[in-house]
Amino acid sequence: MRLAEVIGRVTLSKCDPTVVGGTWIVAVPLLAEGLAAVIHHGETMAVRGREEAIIVYDELGASPGDIIAISEGAEASAPFHPDSKPLDAYNACLLDKIELTQT
């Protein structure tokens, strides 16, 4: 599971019937440096400490600027077992508060 910042939404004209009801968001996974910049300085959209943007399936209502935890790969479809959904990344939770300690 990785933490990511939501930076946008995806609009589809058609989708697989198994994913109707959710939305697709664009999120940027955060490395420790990027997470620290968001938490301590409020630097959204910072360049350092961020990975390439990915598309994430969301049923929780995440909005741009939110920090989320994402499951990827086979774990992304695990919440829907025994049903099968064609997902590569799933928004597992919205984070309200993050405390980061440097060691």
Side-chain angles (χ1 to χ4, degrees):
M1 188 168 292
R2 297 193 292 171
L3 300 183
E5 179 183 1
V6 178
I7 61 169
R9 297 185 180 279
V10 176
T11 302
L12 300 172
S13 60
K14 294 183 181 182
C15 67
D16 188 289
T18 63
V19 294
V20 171
T23 59
W24 298 93
I25 55 177
V26 182
V28 179
L30 299 170
L31 302 173
E33 183 179 25
L35 187 59
V38 170
I39 293 171
H40 297 300
H41 307 292
E43 295 177 17
T44 60
M45 307 300 284
V47 175
R48 294 172 38 172
R50 299 163 70 86
E51 295 185 349
E52 186 174 327
I54 60 174
I55 306 301
V56 180
Y57 182 72
D58 174 43
E59 293 181 313
L60 303 176
S63 299
D66 287 346
I67 304 298
I68 61 172
I70 53 174
S71 296
E72 298 176 274
E75 290 81 18
S77 60
F80 308 102
H81 183 75
D83 295 332
S84 176
K85 293 192 183 242
L87 304 177
D88 288 329
Y90 173 73
N91 177 13
C93 69
L94 299 169
L95 300 169
D96 293 326
K97 181 178 178 181
I98 302 171
E99 293 184 21
L100 181 66
T101 56
Q102 305 270 342
T103 56

Coordinates of all heavy atoms in Angstrom, one line a residue:
M1 N 0.9 -1.2 0.0 CA 0.0 0.0 0.0 C 0.9 1.2 0.0 O 1.9 1.3 0.7 CB -0.9 0.0 1.2 CG -1.9 1.1 1.2 SD -3.2 0.9 2.4 CE -4.1 -0.6 1.8
R2 N 0.5 2.2 -0.8 CA 1.3 3.5 -0.9 C 0.3 4.6 -0.7 O -0.9 4.5 -0.8 CB 1.9 3.6 -2.3 CG 2.9 2.5 -2.6 CD 3.7 2.9 -3.9 NE 2.9 2.9 -5.1 CZ 3.4 3.3 -6.2 NH1 4.6 3.8 -6.3 NH2 2.7 3.3 -7.3
L3 N 1.0 5.7 -0.2 CA 0.2 7.0 -0.1 C 0.3 7.8 -1.3 O 1.4 7.8 -1.9 CB 0.7 7.8 1.2 CG 0.6 7.0 2.5 CD1 1.1 8.0 3.6 CD2 -0.7 6.5 2.8
A4 N -0.7 8.5 -1.7 CA -0.7 9.3 -2.9 C -1.6 10.6 -2.7 O -2.5 10.6 -1.8 CB -1.3 8.5 -4.1
E5 N -1.3 11.6 -3.5 CA -2.1 12.8 -3.5 C -3.0 12.8 -4.7 O -2.5 12.6 -5.8 CB -1.2 14.0 -3.5 CG -2.0 15.3 -3.5 CD -1.1 16.5 -3.6 OE1 0.1 16.4 -3.7 OE2 -1.7 17.6 -3.6
V6 N -4.2 13.1 -4.5 CA -5.2 13.1 -5.7 C -5.0 14.5 -6.4 O -4.9 15.5 -5.8 CB -6.6 13.0 -5.2 CG1 -7.6 13.2 -6.4 CG2 -6.9 11.7 -4.5
I7 N -4.8 14.4 -7.7 CA -4.5 15.6 -8.5 C -5.6 15.9 -9.6 O -5.5 16.9 -10.2 CB -3.1 15.6 -9.1 CG1 -3.0 14.5 -10.1 CG2 -2.0 15.6 -8.1 CD1 -1.7 14.6 -11.0
G8 N -6.5 14.9 -9.7 CA -7.6 15.2 -10.8 C -8.5 14.0 -10.9 O -8.4 13.0 -10.1
R9 N -9.4 14.1 -11.8 CA -10.4 13.1 -12.1 C -10.4 12.7 -13.6 O -9.9 13.4 -14.4 CB -11.8 13.6 -11.8 CG -12.1 14.0 -10.4 CD -13.5 14.4 -10.2 NE -13.8 14.8 -8.8 CZ -14.0 13.9 -7.8 NH1 -14.0 12.7 -8.1 NH2 -14.3 14.4 -6.6
V10 N -10.9 11.5 -13.8 CA -11.0 11.0 -15.2 C -12.4 10.9 -15.6 O -13.3 10.4 -14.8 CB -10.3 9.6 -15.3 CG1 -10.5 9.0 -16.7 CG2 -8.9 9.6 -14.9
T11 N -12.8 11.3 -16.8 CA -14.1 11.2 -17.3 C -14.2 10.1 -18.4 O -13.4 10.2 -19.3 CB -14.6 12.5 -17.8 OG1 -14.5 13.5 -16.8 CG2 -16.0 12.4 -18.3
L12 N -15.1 9.2 -18.2 CA -15.2 8.1 -19.2 C -16.6 8.2 -19.9 O -17.6 8.5 -19.2 CB -15.1 6.7 -18.6 CG -13.7 6.5 -17.8 CD1 -13.8 5.1 -17.1 CD2 -12.6 6.4 -18.8
S13 N -16.6 7.9 -21.1 CA -17.9 7.8 -21.8 C -18.5 6.4 -21.7 O -19.7 6.2 -21.7 CB -17.8 8.2 -23.3 OG -16.9 7.4 -24.0
K14 N -17.6 5.4 -21.5 CA -18.1 4.0 -21.3 C -17.1 3.3 -20.4 O -15.9 3.7 -20.3 CB -18.0 3.2 -22.7 CG -19.1 3.7 -23.7 CD -19.0 2.8 -24.9 CE -20.0 3.3 -25.9 NZ -20.0 2.5 -27.1
C15 N -17.6 2.4 -19.6 CA -16.7 1.6 -18.7 C -17.2 0.2 -18.6 O -18.3 -0.1 -18.9 CB -16.5 2.3 -17.4 SG -18.0 2.3 -16.4
D16 N -16.4 -0.7 -18.0 CA -16.8 -2.0 -17.8 C -18.0 -2.0 -16.8 O -17.9 -1.3 -15.8 CB -15.6 -2.8 -17.2 CG -15.8 -4.3 -17.0 OD1 -16.6 -4.6 -16.2 OD2 -15.2 -5.0 -17.8
P17 N -19.0 -2.8 -17.1 CA -20.2 -2.8 -16.2 C -19.9 -3.2 -14.7 O -20.6 -2.8 -13.8 CB -21.1 -3.9 -16.8 CG -20.5 -4.3 -18.1 CD -19.1 -3.7 -18.2
T18 N -18.8 -3.9 -14.5 CA -18.5 -4.3 -13.1 C -17.9 -3.1 -12.2 O -17.9 -3.2 -11.0 CB -17.4 -5.4 -13.0 OG1 -16.2 -4.9 -13.6 CG2 -17.9 -6.6 -13.8
V19 N -17.6 -2.0 -12.9 CA -17.1 -0.8 -12.1 C -18.0 0.4 -12.1 O -17.6 1.5 -11.7 CB -15.7 -0.4 -12.6 CG1 -14.7 -1.5 -12.3 CG2 -15.7 0.0 -14.0
V20 N -19.3 0.2 -12.5 CA -20.3 1.2 -12.5 C -20.5 1.6 -11.0 O -20.6 0.7 -10.2 CB -21.6 0.8 -13.2 CG1 -22.7 1.8 -13.0 CG2 -21.3 0.6 -14.7
G21 N -20.6 2.9 -10.8 CA -20.9 3.3 -9.4 C -19.7 4.0 -8.8 O -19.8 4.8 -7.8
G22 N -18.5 3.7 -9.2 CA -17.3 4.3 -8.7 C -16.8 5.4 -9.6 O -17.4 5.6 -10.7
T23 N -15.8 6.1 -9.2 CA -15.2 7.1 -10.1 C -13.7 6.8 -10.3 O -13.1 5.9 -9.6 CB -15.3 8.5 -9.5 OG1 -14.6 8.5 -8.2 CG2 -16.7 8.9 -9.3
W24 N -13.1 7.4 -11.2 CA -11.6 7.2 -11.5 C -11.0 8.5 -11.2 O -11.4 9.6 -11.6 CB -11.4 6.8 -13.0 CG -12.1 5.5 -13.3 CD1 -13.3 5.3 -13.8 CD2 -11.6 4.2 -13.1 NE1 -13.6 4.0 -14.0 CE2 -12.5 3.3 -13.5 CE3 -10.3 3.8 -12.6 CZ2 -12.3 1.9 -13.5 CZ3 -10.1 2.4 -12.6 CH2 -11.1 1.5 -13.0
I25 N -9.9 8.5 -10.4 CA -9.1 9.7 -10.1 C -7.7 9.5 -10.5 O -7.2 8.4 -10.7 CB -9.2 9.9 -8.6 CG1 -8.7 8.7 -7.8 CG2 -10.6 10.3 -8.1 CD1 -8.7 8.9 -6.3
V26 N -7.0 10.7 -10.7 CA -5.6 10.7 -11.0 C -4.9 11.0 -9.7 O -5.2 12.0 -9.0 CB -5.3 11.8 -12.1 CG1 -3.8 11.7 -12.4 CG2 -6.2 11.6 -13.3
A27 N -3.9 10.1 -9.4 CA -3.2 10.3 -8.1 C -1.7 10.1 -8.3 O -1.3 9.4 -9.2 CB -3.7 9.3 -7.1
V28 N -0.9 10.9 -7.5 CA 0.5 10.8 -7.6 C 1.1 10.2 -6.4 O 0.9 10.7 -5.3 CB 1.1 12.2 -7.8 CG1 2.6 12.2 -7.8 CG2 0.6 12.9 -9.0
P29 N 1.7 9.0 -6.5 CA 2.3 8.3 -5.3 C 3.4 9.2 -4.7 O 4.1 9.8 -5.4 CB 2.8 7.0 -5.8 CG 2.0 6.7 -7.0 CD 1.7 8.1 -7.6
L30 N 3.4 9.3 -3.4 CA 4.4 10.2 -2.7 C 5.4 9.3 -2.0 O 5.2 8.4 -1.3 CB 3.6 11.0 -1.6 CG 2.5 11.9 -2.1 CD1 1.8 12.5 -0.9 CD2 3.1 13.0 -2.9
L31 N 6.7 9.7 -2.3 CA 7.8 9.2 -1.5 C 7.9 9.9 -0.2 O 7.2 10.9 0.0 CB 9.1 9.3 -2.4 CG 9.1 8.7 -3.8 CD1 10.3 9.1 -4.5 CD2 8.9 7.2 -3.6
A32 N 8.8 9.5 0.7 CA 8.9 10.2 2.0 C 9.2 11.7 1.9 O 8.6 12.5 2.6 CB 10.1 9.5 2.8
E33 N 10.0 12.1 0.9 CA 10.3 13.5 0.7 C 9.0 14.3 0.3 O 8.8 15.4 0.8 CB 11.4 13.7 -0.3 CG 11.8 15.1 -0.5 CD 13.0 15.2 -1.5 OE1 13.1 14.3 -2.4 OE2 13.7 16.1 -1.5
G34 N 8.3 13.7 -0.6 CA 7.0 14.4 -1.1 C 6.0 14.4 0.0 O 5.3 15.4 0.1
L35 N 5.9 13.3 0.8 CA 4.9 13.3 1.9 C 5.2 14.4 2.9 O 4.4 15.1 3.4 CB 4.9 11.9 2.5 CG 3.8 11.7 3.5 CD1 2.4 11.9 3.0 CD2 3.9 10.2 4.0
A36 N 6.5 14.5 3.2 CA 7.0 15.5 4.2 C 6.7 16.9 3.7 O 6.2 17.8 4.5 CB 8.5 15.4 4.5
A37 N 6.8 17.2 2.4 CA 6.5 18.5 1.9 C 5.1 18.8 2.0 O 4.7 19.9 2.3 CB 7.0 18.5 0.4
V38 N 4.2 17.8 1.7 CA 2.8 18.0 1.8 C 2.3 18.3 3.3 O 1.6 19.2 3.6 CB 2.0 16.8 1.2 CG1 0.5 16.9 1.5 CG2 2.2 16.8 -0.3
I39 N 2.9 17.5 4.2 CA 2.5 17.5 5.6 C 3.0 18.8 6.3 O 2.2 19.5 6.9 CB 3.0 16.3 6.4 CG1 2.3 15.0 5.9 CG2 2.7 16.4 7.9 CD1 2.8 13.8 6.4
H40 N 4.3 19.0 6.2 CA 4.9 20.1 6.9 C 4.8 21.5 6.3 O 4.8 22.5 7.0 CB 6.4 19.8 7.2 CG 6.6 18.6 8.0 ND1 6.0 18.4 9.3 CD2 7.2 17.4 7.8 CE1 6.4 17.3 9.8 NE2 7.1 16.6 8.9
H41 N 4.7 21.5 5.0 CA 4.7 22.8 4.3 C 3.5 23.1 3.4 O 3.4 24.1 2.8 CB 6.0 22.9 3.4 CG 7.2 22.6 4.1 ND1 7.7 23.5 5.1 CD2 8.1 21.6 4.1 CE1 8.8 23.0 5.6 NE2 9.1 21.8 5.0
G42 N 2.6 22.1 3.3 CA 1.4 22.3 2.5 C 1.7 22.4 1.0 O 0.9 23.0 0.3
E43 N 2.9 21.9 0.6 CA 3.3 22.0 -0.8 C 2.6 21.0 -1.7 O 3.2 19.9 -1.9 CB 4.8 21.9 -0.9 CG 5.6 23.0 -0.2 CD 7.1 22.8 -0.3 OE1 7.5 22.0 -1.1 OE2 7.8 23.4 0.5
T44 N 1.4 21.2 -2.1 CA 0.8 20.3 -3.0 C 1.4 20.6 -4.4 O 1.9 21.7 -4.7 CB -0.7 20.5 -3.1 OG1 -1.0 21.8 -3.5 CG2 -1.3 20.2 -1.7
M45 N 1.5 19.6 -5.2 CA 2.0 19.6 -6.6 C 3.5 19.9 -6.5 O 4.1 20.4 -7.5 CB 1.3 20.7 -7.4 CG -0.2 20.6 -7.4 SD -0.8 19.0 -8.1 CE -0.5 19.3 -9.8
A46 N 4.2 19.6 -5.4 CA 5.7 19.7 -5.4 C 6.3 18.7 -6.4 O 5.7 17.7 -6.7 CB 6.2 19.5 -4.0
V47 N 7.4 19.0 -6.9 CA 8.0 18.2 -7.9 C 8.8 17.0 -7.3 O 8.8 15.9 -7.7 CB 8.9 19.0 -8.9 CG1 9.7 18.1 -9.9 CG2 8.1 20.0 -9.6
R48 N 9.6 17.4 -6.2 CA 10.5 16.4 -5.6 C 9.6 15.4 -4.7 O 8.7 15.8 -4.1 CB 11.5 17.1 -4.8 CG 12.5 17.8 -5.7 CD 13.4 18.7 -4.9 NE 13.9 18.1 -3.7 CZ 14.8 18.6 -2.9 NH1 15.4 19.7 -3.3 NH2 15.2 18.0 -1.8
G49 N 10.0 14.2 -4.7 CA 9.4 13.2 -3.8 C 8.1 12.6 -4.3 O 7.3 12.1 -3.6
R50 N 7.9 12.8 -5.7 CA 6.6 12.3 -6.3 C 6.9 11.4 -7.4 O 7.9 11.6 -8.1 CB 5.8 13.5 -6.8 CG 5.4 14.4 -5.6 CD 5.0 15.8 -6.2 NE 3.7 15.7 -6.8 CZ 2.5 15.8 -6.2 NH1 2.5 16.0 -5.0 NH2 1.4 15.8 -6.9
E51 N 6.1 10.3 -7.6 CA 6.3 9.4 -8.7 C 5.3 9.8 -9.8 O 4.6 10.7 -9.7 CB 6.1 8.0 -8.2 CG 7.1 7.5 -7.2 CD 7.0 6.1 -6.8 OE1 5.9 5.5 -7.1 OE2 7.9 5.6 -6.1
E52 N 5.4 9.0 -10.9 CA 4.5 9.2 -12.0 C 3.0 9.0 -11.7 O 2.7 8.1 -10.9 CB 4.9 8.2 -13.1 CG 4.1 8.5 -14.4 CD 4.7 7.6 -15.6 OE1 5.9 7.3 -15.6 OE2 3.9 7.2 -16.4
A53 N 2.1 9.8 -12.2 CA 0.7 9.7 -11.9 C 0.1 8.4 -12.3 O 0.5 7.9 -13.4 CB 0.0 10.9 -12.5
I54 N -0.9 7.9 -11.6 CA -1.6 6.7 -11.9 C -3.1 7.0 -11.8 O -3.5 7.9 -11.2 CB -1.2 5.5 -11.0 CG1 -1.5 5.8 -9.5 CG2 0.3 5.2 -11.2 CD1 -1.3 4.7 -8.6
I55 N -3.8 6.1 -12.4 CA -5.3 6.1 -12.4 C -5.8 5.2 -11.3 O -5.4 4.0 -11.3 CB -5.9 5.8 -13.8 CG1 -5.3 6.7 -14.9 CG2 -7.4 5.9 -13.7 CD1 -5.5 8.2 -14.6
V56 N -6.7 5.6 -10.4 CA -7.1 4.8 -9.3 C -8.6 4.8 -9.3 O -9.3 5.8 -9.5 CB -6.6 5.5 -8.0 CG1 -7.0 4.7 -6.8 CG2 -5.1 5.6 -8.0
Y57 N -9.2 3.6 -9.0 CA -10.6 3.4 -8.8 C -11.0 3.9 -7.4 O -10.4 3.5 -6.5 CB -11.0 2.0 -9.1 CG -12.5 1.7 -9.0 CD1 -13.4 2.1 -10.0 CD2 -13.0 1.0 -7.9 CE1 -14.7 1.9 -9.9 CE2 -14.4 0.8 -7.8 CZ -15.2 1.2 -8.8 OH -16.6 0.9 -8.7
D58 N -12.1 4.7 -7.3 CA -12.4 5.3 -6.1 C -13.9 5.2 -5.8 O -14.7 5.5 -6.7 CB -12.0 6.8 -6.1 CG -12.5 7.6 -4.9 OD1 -12.3 7.0 -3.8 OD2 -13.0 8.7 -5.0
E59 N -14.3 4.7 -4.6 CA -15.7 4.6 -4.2 C -15.9 5.5 -2.9 O -17.0 5.5 -2.4 CB -16.1 3.2 -3.9 CG -16.1 2.3 -5.1 CD -16.6 0.9 -4.7 OE1 -16.1 0.3 -3.8 OE2 -17.4 0.4 -5.4
L60 N -14.8 6.2 -2.5 CA -14.9 6.9 -1.2 C -15.1 8.4 -1.4 O -15.3 9.1 -0.4 CB -13.6 6.7 -0.4 CG -13.3 5.2 -0.1 CD1 -12.0 5.1 0.6 CD2 -14.4 4.6 0.7
G61 N -15.0 8.9 -2.6 CA -15.3 10.3 -2.9 C -14.1 11.2 -2.7 O -14.2 12.4 -2.3
A62 N -12.9 10.7 -3.0 CA -11.7 11.5 -2.9 C -11.7 12.7 -3.9 O -12.3 12.6 -5.0 CB -10.5 10.7 -3.2
S63 N -11.2 13.8 -3.5 CA -11.1 15.1 -4.3 C -9.7 15.5 -4.5 O -8.8 15.1 -3.7 CB -11.9 16.2 -3.6 OG -13.2 15.8 -3.4
P64 N -9.4 16.3 -5.5 CA -8.1 16.8 -5.6 C -7.5 17.5 -4.4 O -8.3 18.3 -3.7 CB -8.2 17.9 -6.8 CG -9.3 17.3 -7.6 CD -10.3 16.7 -6.6
G65 N -6.3 17.2 -4.0 CA -5.7 17.7 -2.8 C -5.7 16.7 -1.7 O -5.0 16.8 -0.7
D66 N -6.6 15.7 -1.7 CA -6.7 14.7 -0.7 C -5.5 13.7 -0.7 O -5.0 13.5 -1.8 CB -8.0 13.8 -0.8 CG -9.3 14.5 -0.4 OD1 -9.2 15.6 0.2 OD2 -10.3 14.0 -0.8
I67 N -5.1 13.2 0.5 CA -4.1 12.2 0.5 C -4.9 10.9 0.8 O -5.7 10.8 1.6 CB -3.1 12.4 1.7 CG1 -2.5 13.8 1.5 CG2 -2.1 11.3 1.7 CD1 -1.6 14.0 0.3
I68 N -4.5 9.9 -0.1 CA -5.2 8.6 0.0 C -4.2 7.5 0.1 O -3.0 7.6 -0.1 CB -6.1 8.3 -1.3 CG1 -5.2 8.3 -2.5 CG2 -7.2 9.4 -1.4 CD1 -6.0 7.9 -3.8
A69 N -4.7 6.3 0.5 CA -3.8 5.1 0.5 C -4.4 4.2 -0.6 O -5.6 4.0 -0.7 CB -3.9 4.4 1.9
I70 N -3.4 3.7 -1.4 CA -3.9 2.9 -2.6 C -3.3 1.5 -2.5 O -2.2 1.3 -2.1 CB -3.4 3.6 -3.9 CG1 -1.9 3.9 -3.9 CG2 -4.2 4.8 -4.2 CD1 -1.4 4.4 -5.2
S71 N -4.2 0.6 -2.9 CA -3.7 -0.8 -3.1 C -3.5 -1.0 -4.6 O -4.3 -0.5 -5.4 CB -4.8 -1.8 -2.6 OG -5.0 -1.6 -1.2
E72 N -2.5 -1.8 -4.9 CA -2.2 -2.0 -6.3 C -2.1 -3.5 -6.6 O -1.9 -4.3 -5.7 CB -0.9 -1.3 -6.7 CG -1.0 0.2 -6.5 CD 0.3 0.9 -6.8 OE1 1.1 1.0 -5.9 OE2 0.5 1.3 -8.0
G73 N -2.2 -3.8 -7.9 CA -2.0 -5.2 -8.4 C -3.2 -6.0 -7.9 O -4.4 -5.6 -7.9
A74 N -3.0 -7.3 -7.6 CA -4.0 -8.2 -7.2 C -4.8 -7.7 -6.0 O -6.0 -8.0 -5.9 CB -3.4 -9.6 -7.0
E75 N -4.1 -7.0 -5.1 CA -4.7 -6.5 -3.9 C -5.8 -5.5 -4.2 O -6.7 -5.3 -3.4 CB -3.7 -5.9 -2.9 CG -2.8 -7.0 -2.3 CD -1.7 -7.4 -3.2 OE1 -1.4 -6.7 -4.2 OE2 -1.1 -8.5 -2.9
A76 N -5.7 -4.8 -5.3 CA -6.7 -3.8 -5.7 C -8.1 -4.4 -5.9 O -9.1 -3.7 -5.6 CB -6.2 -3.1 -7.0
S77 N -8.2 -5.6 -6.3 CA -9.5 -6.2 -6.6 C -9.9 -7.1 -5.4 O -11.1 -7.6 -5.4 CB -9.5 -7.0 -7.8 OG -8.5 -8.1 -7.8
A78 N -9.1 -7.2 -4.4 CA -9.4 -8.1 -3.2 C -10.7 -7.6 -2.5 O -11.4 -8.5 -2.0 CB -8.2 -8.2 -2.3
P79 N -11.0 -6.3 -2.3 CA -12.2 -6.0 -1.6 C -13.5 -6.4 -2.2 O -14.5 -6.4 -1.6 CB -12.1 -4.4 -1.5 CG -10.7 -4.1 -1.7 CD -10.1 -5.2 -2.6
F80 N -13.4 -6.8 -3.5 CA -14.6 -7.2 -4.2 C -14.8 -8.7 -4.3 O -15.7 -9.2 -5.0 CB -14.6 -6.6 -5.6 CG -14.3 -5.1 -5.5 CD1 -13.1 -4.6 -5.8 CD2 -15.4 -4.2 -5.2 CE1 -12.9 -3.2 -5.8 CE2 -15.2 -2.9 -5.1 CZ -13.9 -2.4 -5.4
H81 N -13.9 -9.5 -3.7 CA -13.9 -11.0 -3.8 C -15.3 -11.5 -3.3 O -15.8 -10.9 -2.3 CB -12.8 -11.5 -2.9 CG -12.7 -13.0 -3.0 ND1 -12.2 -13.7 -4.1 CD2 -13.1 -14.0 -2.1 CE1 -12.3 -15.0 -3.8 NE2 -12.8 -15.2 -2.7
P82 N -15.9 -12.4 -3.9 CA -15.5 -13.3 -5.0 C -15.7 -12.7 -6.4 O -15.3 -13.3 -7.3 CB -16.3 -14.5 -4.8 CG -17.6 -14.0 -4.2 CD -17.2 -12.8 -3.4
D83 N -16.3 -11.5 -6.4 CA -16.5 -10.8 -7.8 C -15.1 -10.4 -8.3 O -14.2 -10.2 -7.6 CB -17.4 -9.6 -7.7 CG -18.8 -10.0 -7.3 OD1 -19.2 -11.1 -7.5 OD2 -19.5 -9.2 -6.6
S84 N -15.0 -10.3 -9.6 CA -13.8 -9.9 -10.2 C -14.0 -8.5 -10.9 O -15.0 -8.3 -11.6 CB -13.4 -10.9 -11.3 OG -12.3 -10.5 -12.0
K85 N -13.1 -7.6 -10.6 CA -13.1 -6.3 -11.2 C -11.8 -6.0 -11.9 O -10.7 -6.3 -11.3 CB -13.4 -5.2 -10.2 CG -14.8 -5.3 -9.6 CD -15.2 -4.1 -8.8 CE -16.6 -4.3 -8.2 NZ -17.5 -3.4 -8.7
P86 N -11.8 -5.4 -13.1 CA -10.6 -5.1 -13.8 C -9.8 -3.9 -13.3 O -9.9 -2.8 -13.9 CB -11.0 -4.9 -15.2 CG -12.4 -4.3 -15.1 CD -13.0 -5.0 -13.8
L87 N -9.2 -4.0 -12.1 CA -8.5 -2.9 -11.5 C -7.0 -3.1 -11.3 O -6.6 -4.2 -11.0 CB -9.1 -2.6 -10.1 CG -10.6 -2.4 -9.9 CD1 -11.0 -2.3 -8.5 CD2 -11.1 -1.2 -10.7
D88 N -6.3 -2.0 -11.5 CA -4.9 -2.0 -11.2 C -4.5 -1.3 -9.9 O -3.5 -1.5 -9.3 CB -4.1 -1.4 -12.3 CG -4.0 -2.2 -13.6 OD1 -4.0 -3.5 -13.4 OD2 -4.0 -1.7 -14.7
A89 N -5.4 -0.3 -9.5 CA -5.2 0.5 -8.3 C -6.6 0.9 -7.7 O -7.5 1.2 -8.5 CB -4.4 1.7 -8.6
Y90 N -6.7 0.8 -6.4 CA -7.9 1.0 -5.7 C -7.7 2.0 -4.5 O -6.7 1.8 -3.8 CB -8.5 -0.3 -5.2 CG -9.7 -0.2 -4.3 CD1 -10.9 0.1 -4.8 CD2 -9.5 -0.5 -2.9 CE1 -12.0 0.2 -3.9 CE2 -10.7 -0.4 -2.1 CZ -11.9 -0.1 -2.6 OH -13.0 0.0 -1.8
N91 N -8.5 2.9 -4.3 CA -8.4 3.9 -3.2 C -9.0 3.1 -1.9 O -10.2 3.0 -1.8 CB -9.2 5.1 -3.4 CG -9.2 6.1 -2.3 OD1 -8.5 5.9 -1.3 ND2 -10.1 7.1 -2.3
A92 N -8.1 2.7 -1.1 CA -8.4 2.0 0.1 C -8.9 2.9 1.3 O -9.7 2.4 2.1 CB -7.3 1.1 0.6
C93 N -8.4 4.1 1.4 CA -8.9 5.0 2.4 C -8.5 6.4 2.2 O -7.5 6.7 1.4 CB -8.3 4.5 3.8 SG -6.6 4.7 4.0
L94 N -9.2 7.3 2.8 CA -8.9 8.8 2.8 C -8.2 9.1 4.1 O -8.6 8.6 5.2 CB -10.1 9.6 2.7 CG -11.0 9.5 1.5 CD1 -12.3 10.2 1.6 CD2 -10.3 10.0 0.3
L95 N -7.1 9.8 4.1 CA -6.3 10.0 5.3 C -6.6 11.4 5.8 O -6.5 12.4 5.0 CB -4.8 9.9 5.0 CG -4.4 8.5 4.6 CD1 -3.0 8.5 4.1 CD2 -4.6 7.5 5.7
D96 N -7.1 11.6 7.0 CA -7.5 12.8 7.6 C -6.3 13.5 8.2 O -6.1 14.7 8.2 CB -8.5 12.7 8.7 CG -9.9 12.3 8.1 OD1 -10.2 12.7 7.0 OD2 -10.6 11.5 8.8
K97 N -5.4 12.7 8.9 CA -4.3 13.2 9.6 C -3.1 12.3 9.4 O -3.2 11.1 9.5 CB -4.6 13.4 11.1 CG -3.5 14.0 11.9 CD -3.9 14.1 13.4 CE -2.8 14.6 14.2 NZ -3.2 14.8 15.6
I98 N -1.9 12.9 9.2 CA -0.7 12.1 9.0 C 0.3 12.7 10.0 O 0.6 13.9 9.9 CB -0.2 12.1 7.6 CG1 -1.2 11.5 6.7 CG2 1.1 11.3 7.5 CD1 -0.9 11.7 5.2
E99 N 1.0 11.9 10.8 CA 2.1 12.3 11.6 C 3.4 11.6 11.1 O 3.4 10.4 11.0 CB 1.9 12.0 13.0 CG 0.7 12.8 13.6 CD 0.5 12.6 15.1 OE1 1.5 12.1 15.8 OE2 -0.5 12.9 15.6
L100 N 4.3 12.4 10.7 CA 5.6 11.9 10.1 C 6.7 12.3 11.0 O 6.9 13.4 11.3 CB 5.8 12.5 8.7 CG 7.0 12.0 7.9 CD1 6.8 10.5 7.6 CD2 7.1 12.8 6.6
T101 N 7.5 11.3 11.5 CA 8.6 11.5 12.3 C 9.9 11.1 11.5 O 9.9 10.0 10.9 CB 8.6 10.8 13.6 OG1 8.4 9.4 13.4 CG2 7.4 11.3 14.5
Q102 N 10.9 11.9 11.5 CA 12.1 11.6 10.8 C 13.1 11.0 11.8 O 13.2 11.4 12.9 CB 12.7 12.9 10.3 CG 11.8 13.7 9.4 CD 11.9 13.3 7.9 OE1 12.9 12.8 7.5 NE2 10.9 13.7 7.2
T103 N 13.7 9.9 11.3 CA 14.7 9.2 12.2 C 16.1 9.4 11.7 O 16.3 9.7 10.6 CB 14.4 7.7 12.3 OG1 14.4 7.2 11.0 CG2 13.1 7.5 13.0

